[in-house]
């Protein structure tokens, strides 16, 4: 694989950029692999990369029904943070933040990780108490988080309206300075390129239509649009469609799938220096490097596999954005889109072995799994390679919905971006 560097860029600039090679190979599927990963989003591609790099498994295929990053990886608003309440969550998400910090160097690919700070607004006394509890819990776990007064919040984010008579008055904010954003599709492409260079076969336009089990119940392989492919280990990493795939192996999942929407404005000069989230009104906003304001909305109230989402969700979000940032009320929106998110009862992910030997599942990230991409992929690769969870993902097992040992970030935050 060719190294990307300032020298390579200069050389190509002098010869009309004709020397760049394909970023990843597009081979025909083999009849058998050691491991098949279903889903070519960031989590699936990252899992394949760490399996090859850290566990020496080289005969791996990633099967993607569409194009790489065409699922939620390429549809999210890219917020990265690790200020979750419970110890288990802080360990998982902060593992990811630590990997984000060196990911561009690790992959030799600019994933544009930008730790510009994530500020979470408190609009009522309950929010103030909840966020201050988060700050104390985070600090005990070595995760940075600090309390800002409304004036300090405005100094950090000048467009913020802190008028006391606002519909959603700002009573303070929790700031995680190491939080921020990254370029989502570059994360998929960077992992794909690095995995392909280690021998992983990445096969796009290859939908899995069945998961076959042998007479002993263990996984034998998958049926696809391009025929049967054998493997004794299969990892399902299919976000909003995880329960559909697991059903193919006869496993019923504690998941509900909802459309979640986002939208961007027309591009403007840099006006917004950080990420601001309001859980209470469920709106969040940052500015992309292209200049668009990137705005995230909430989920629909009803489960669905339609990638459109309801209009009232968008109008409610824009109401809130205009109230909190009056300067943006005359901006035009450029486009909106939706993705299907897979939501667990406790709003924490599932990174787990399953009752079926050789079948592993990474799902349930709901509205907030992009931030976890490197950490999730890293520990899931360990789980598949060792047939046992990494200590960080051991609590995020499927069994917890039977035993009751939930990691209840739903009650802690009521939102999970
Ligand atoms: C609008 C929106 C905003 C979001 N904002 C944030 C945010 O700000 N921060 C954050 O942390 N998270 C956010 N998220 C959540 C985040 O995007 C996801 O949790 C994360 O990207 C999931 O990654 P993944 O690789 O598991 O899934 P995906 O990227 O969806 O990859 C799964 C892949 O599986 C493929 N697949 C499905 N069925 C099959 C099949 N039968 N055969 C083969 N392939 C199949 C799909 O095509 C897809 O490419 C947001 C999500 C949405 C929709």
């Amino acid at each position: 694989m060719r190294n990307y560097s300032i020298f390579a860029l200069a050389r190509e600039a002098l010869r009309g950029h004709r020397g760049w090679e394909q970023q990843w190979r597009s081979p025909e599927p083999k009849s058998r692999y050691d491991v098949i990963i279903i889903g070519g989003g960031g989590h699936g591609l990252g899992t394949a990369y760490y399996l090859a790099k850290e566990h020496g498994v080289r005969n791996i295929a990633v099967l993607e029904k569409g194009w790489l990053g065409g699922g939620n990886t390429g549809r999210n608003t890219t917020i990265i943070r690790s200020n979750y309440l419970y110890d288990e969550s802080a360990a998982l998400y902060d593992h990811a933040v630590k990997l984000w910090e060196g990911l561009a160097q690790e992959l030799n690919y600019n994933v544009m990780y930008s730790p510009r700070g994530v500020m979470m607004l408190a609009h009522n006394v309950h929010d103030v108490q909840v966020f201050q509890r988060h700050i104390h819990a985070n600090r005990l776990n070595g995760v940075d988080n600090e309390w800002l007064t409304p004036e300090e919040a405005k100094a950090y984010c000048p467009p913020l309206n802190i008028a006391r008579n606002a519909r959603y008055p700002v009573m303070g904010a929790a700031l995680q300075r190491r939080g921020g954003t990254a370029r989502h599709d570059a994360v998929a492409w960077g992992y794909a390129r690095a995995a392909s260079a280690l021998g992983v076969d990445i096969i796009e336009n290859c939908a899995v239509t069945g998961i076959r089990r042998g007479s002993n119940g263990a996984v034998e392989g998958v049926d696809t649009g391009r025929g049967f492919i054998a493997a004794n280990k299969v990892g399902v990493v299919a976000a909003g469609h995880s329960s559909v795939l697991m059903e193919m192996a006869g496993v019923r999942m504690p998941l509900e799938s909802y459309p979640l929407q986002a939208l961007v404005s027309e591009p403007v000069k840099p006006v917004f220096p950080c990420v601001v989230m309001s859980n209470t009104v469920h709106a969040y906003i940052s500015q992309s490097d292209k200049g668009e304001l990137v705005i995230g909305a909430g989920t629909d109230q009803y489960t669905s596999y339609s990638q459109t989402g309801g209009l009232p969700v968008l109008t409610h979000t824009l109401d809130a954005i205009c109230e909190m940032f009056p300067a943006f009320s005359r901006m035009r929106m450029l486009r909106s889109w939706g993705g299907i998110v897979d939501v667990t009862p406790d709003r924490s992910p599932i990174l787990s072995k399953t009752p079926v030997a050789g079948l592993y599942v990474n799902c349930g990230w709901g509205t907030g799994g992009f931030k976890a991409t490197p950490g999730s992929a890293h520990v899931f690769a360990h789980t598949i390679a060792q047939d046992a969870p990494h200590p960080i993902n051991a609590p995020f097992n499927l069994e917890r919905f039977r035993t009751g040992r939930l990691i209840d970030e739903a009650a802690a935050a009521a939102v999970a971006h």
Side-chain angles (χ1 to χ4, degrees):
M1 178 174 69
R2 184 171 178 188
N3 204 38
Y4 289 162
S5 68
I6 185 76
F7 304 108
L9 192 60
R11 199 165 45 244
E12 286 307 322
L14 291 175
R15 54 182 197 183
H17 293 284
R18 283 187 298 272
W20 299 117
E21 60 205 17
Q22 255 192 337
Q23 299 202 26
W24 57 86
R25 298 169 296 109
S26 298
E28 283 301 308
K30 294 187 225 164
S31 58
R32 167 172 286 280
Y33 289 94
D34 294 339
V35 179
I36 287 177
I37 302 293
I38 305 174
H43 291 241
L45 292 162
T47 303
Y49 168 72
Y50 292 115
L51 270 169
K53 185 184 167 233
E54 298 201 355
H55 302 280
V57 186
R58 292 295 163 98
N59 191 24
I60 306 171
V62 177
L63 307 182
E64 165 54 50
K65 75 173 174 187
W67 66 96
L68 295 193
N72 291 349
T73 295
R75 293 167 186 271
N76 70 78
T77 48
T78 79
I79 297 173
I80 295 171
R81 62 186 179 87
S82 60
N83 52 356
Y84 285 74
L85 182 67
Y86 291 107
D87 297 349
E88 297 87 343
S89 316
L92 177 61
Y93 290 99
D94 212 53
H95 181 52
V97 169
K98 286 178 186 140
L99 291 174
W100 279 116
E101 285 163 355
L103 195 62
Q105 288 75 18
E106 158 104 23
L107 300 178
N108 178 225
Y109 206 93
N110 189 359
V111 297
M112 297 167 76
Y113 170 57
S114 164
R116 57 184 71 176
V118 172
M119 198 164 76
M120 303 176 76
L121 302 179
H123 298 290
N124 51 47
V125 174
H126 175 75
D127 282 354
V128 172
Q129 291 169 346
V130 166
F131 287 147
Q132 293 195 345
R133 184 177 174 216
H134 273 72
I135 289 170
H136 295 311
N138 289 161
R139 288 189 173 181
L140 286 171
N141 276 317
V143 175
D144 70 305
N145 201 352
E146 63 197 83
W147 180 250
L148 303 184
T149 63
E151 292 71 27
E152 288 168 336
K154 186 162 177 68
Y156 198 74
C157 183
L160 181 64
N161 177 19
I162 56 167
R164 297 300 296 170
N165 61 353
R167 181 164 155 222
Y168 307 109
V170 175
M171 297 179 70
L175 172 67
Q176 183 177 25
R177 291 181 192 268
R178 285 161 68 233
T181 57
R183 169 95 190 262
H184 46 20
D185 37 20
V187 175
W189 301 336
Y191 273 125
R193 175 171 170 268
S196 175
L198 292 171
V200 174
D201 283 359
I202 294 167
I203 301 163
E204 294 171 84
N205 298 312
C206 184
V208 171
T209 52
I211 299 179
R212 283 200 211 169
R213 296 170 60 181
S215 51
N216 62 356
V219 161
E220 284 191 330
V222 298
D223 292 303
T224 77
R226 295 162 75 167
F228 175 73
I229 308 176
N232 292 332
K233 290 188 172 183
V234 171
V236 174
V237 199
H241 292 82
S242 301
S243 43
V244 178
L245 277 149
M246 293 297 285
E247 190 78 43
M248 294 177 189
V251 181
R252 197 153 170 252
M253 297 296 288
L255 291 173
E256 289 180 330
S257 293
Y258 294 89
L260 175 70
Q261 296 181 79
L263 64 167
V264 289
S265 72
E266 59 191 338
V268 287
K269 285 185 177 174
V271 285
F272 206 79
C274 58
V275 180
V276 172
M277 301 180 59
S278 167
N279 292 359
T280 302
V281 294
H282 208 115
Y284 47 102
I285 179 167
S286 63
Q287 189 171 19
S288 75
D289 295 308
K290 281 188 283 182
E292 300 160 338
L293 295 177
V294 181
I295 298 170
T299 50
D300 275 16
Q301 287 178 344
Y302 303 100
T303 54
S304 160
Y305 287 109
S306 144
Q307 287 202 148
T308 51
L311 187 60
V313 177
L314 289 185
T315 51
H316 167 80
T317 300
L318 290 176
D319 282 352
I321 292 291
C322 293
E323 190 79 29
M324 293 186 290
F325 307 99
F328 298 152
S329 61
R330 282 184 297 147
M331 287 188 65
R332 282 170 296 187
M333 291 300 125
L334 203 58
R335 61 181 192 279
S336 69
W337 64 90
I340 306 301
V341 296
D342 45 328
V343 177
T344 60
D346 62 1
R347 302 298 189 272
S348 286
I350 301 168
L351 283 152
S352 181
K353 294 176 66 172
T354 70
V356 177
L359 183 67
Y360 308 85
V361 67
N362 176 340
C363 66
W365 293 99
T367 58
F370 175 70
K371 63 177 67 62
T373 305
S376 145
H378 188 250
V379 297
F380 193 52
H382 174 106
T383 307
I384 295 175
Q386 310 297 327
D387 194 33
H390 186 285
I392 290 180
N393 68 302
F396 295 89
N397 55 45
L398 195 48
E399 273 303 292
R400 74 180 188 270
F401 301 101
R402 216 183 296 276
T403 61
R405 288 190 68 84
L406 302 180
I407 305 162
D408 204 352
E409 293 293 343
V415 69
H417 289 294

